[in-house]
Each structure stands twice: as C-alpha cells, then as structure tokens.
Amino acid sequence: MGIETLQTSRLTLCPMQAEHAPALHAFFGDPQAMRFFGETHTDPAQTERWVAGTLAEPPERCREYVLLQDGVAIGKAGLWAVPELGFFLRRDRWGQGLMREALTALLPHLFDTMPLDHIRADVDPRNAASLGLLHHLGFVETHRASRTIQIGGEWADSVYLRLSRPGQTRSVPVLDRT
C-alpha cells in the first residue's frame, strides 16, 4: 500500500520527498531546535543527504511525512525505524498545537495501514514539551536509560514510551506461583 496524504484542519501531511529538503533545513540548521534531535546541519547538503537516506528506506521500515501549513513545509513526523516515532517542528511554529494535530491524525493512520502492535518513542527527559505531548496522546513510559546519545558533545538520557494499538492491552507476564 502506498503512503497516503493526510489532511487536518490546519495541516497537510504528505509523504516526504527530496524537494522538501530545503524547507526542512530550517529545522536541521537551528541549534536550539536540534538540541534534542541530533547534530545541527551547518550545510543544506547535510539535510539533502538526510532526506535522501530516509527516502532510500523501504516503506515497511520508514514512513516519514512532511507537515505542510499553507503549502510550506514546517516539520516532519513519522516512523523512521519502525516502530520508532520521530517528529519535529520549526521553532517559529512551536506552542500552536500543530504537532498534536498532526500526530492525532497520523498515529491512527499508521496503525490502520501497518502491521504494528505498538509505536514507541525515545525522548530526552529535558524535552518537557515532547513528553507532555506524547503522554497526552496516550503514550506510557516503559523505562529510562542514561547517556544514550551524544549531541553536540553533550550526553543525553532517554525516556522510552510506548503506545499500544488501539483496543489492544499491553500484556504483563503473570508468574505461576503453584
């Protein structure tokens, strides 16, 4: 099945394409925005390579959507290493509920179109906005780890979260005490 375009009241979520790289560089080139995501791209060619690498992945491993507002790419959201969720938004669009709107449309779509029993996320514990958003969307914390990634020479920790397929309860092993 192909990757469909989704529409919300303020956004269009379309499959990522190479032509989106220059607009996405507005995020990748912003050190403050990249603080919890990865190394800042100092050259648009770095963003072009990132997009090309993403597009080279098969859709069963990577489903990335670009968020368009009024035809302008303002961020991305999707599964980059199924079932790992990744998302970002340009800093000038933070605090407007746009990512909540995007993920509210995208998460059910991913469950409907992919054989997933859950979606997971890995968030820096200092990224309160992302943690709050994920909790609001129904993600639950599963565990934490220290010093999981180094970004800009600084070690970061991780909070791991999970969202089960709707209607599916997360099974907990029961110990046989007989």
Side-chain angles (χ1 to χ4, degrees):
M1 173 177 284
I3 301 176
E4 299 86 11
T5 296
L6 305 174
Q7 191 70 46
T8 71
S9 64
R10 297 181 290 171
L11 300 170
T12 301
L13 285 70
C14 69
M16 186 177 288
Q17 299 172 18
E19 68 195 38
H20 295 127
L24 293 177
H25 185 69
F27 175 87
F28 281 109
D30 180 346
Q32 184 177 345
M34 289 294 285
R35 178 172 182 219
F36 302 121
F37 193 83
E39 297 296 329
T40 303
H41 292 188
T42 57
D43 181 336
Q46 289 174 276
T47 305
E48 290 170 9
R49 286 190 297 275
W50 185 91
V51 169
T54 298
L55 296 175
E57 293 291 334
E60 62 273 6
R61 177 167 158 62
C62 185
R63 293 269 178 105
E64 290 284 8
Y65 291 81
V66 171
L67 283 57
L68 302 173
Q69 186 177 38
D70 301 322
V72 176
I74 61 164
K76 74 100 187 158
L79 301 179
W80 60 273
V82 171
E84 184 88 17
L85 178 68
F87 55 90
F88 66 67
L89 199 59
R90 280 186 1 203
R91 195 160 31 116
D92 65 340
R93 305 302 167 101
W94 291 358
Q96 299 174 31
L98 293 168
M99 190 56 70
R100 178 185 296 188
E101 184 176 321
L103 292 178
T104 297
L106 182 59
L107 293 169
H109 177 74
L110 293 170
F111 280 121
D112 287 346
T113 60
M114 298 181 76
L116 302 167
D117 68 344
H118 71 280
I119 293 173
R120 68 175 178 248
D122 172 356
V123 180
D124 186 311
R126 299 170 296 176
N127 190 345
S130 288
L131 286 170
L133 171 61
L134 292 170
H135 285 297
H136 173 81
L137 294 170
F139 280 77
V140 294
E141 183 176 328
T142 60
H143 62 288
R144 293 177 177 237
S146 298
R147 297 175 58 93
T148 55
I149 188 171
Q150 194 172 29
I151 299 173
E154 177 183 14
W155 279 103
D157 298 339
S158 289
V159 176
Y160 296 97
L161 303 108
R162 175 186 170 115
L163 178 68
S164 295
R165 175 182 284 281
Q168 176 179 324
T169 57
R170 187 167 177 216
S171 62
V172 177
V174 177
L175 298 175
D176 184 6
R177 298 192 185 273
T178 58

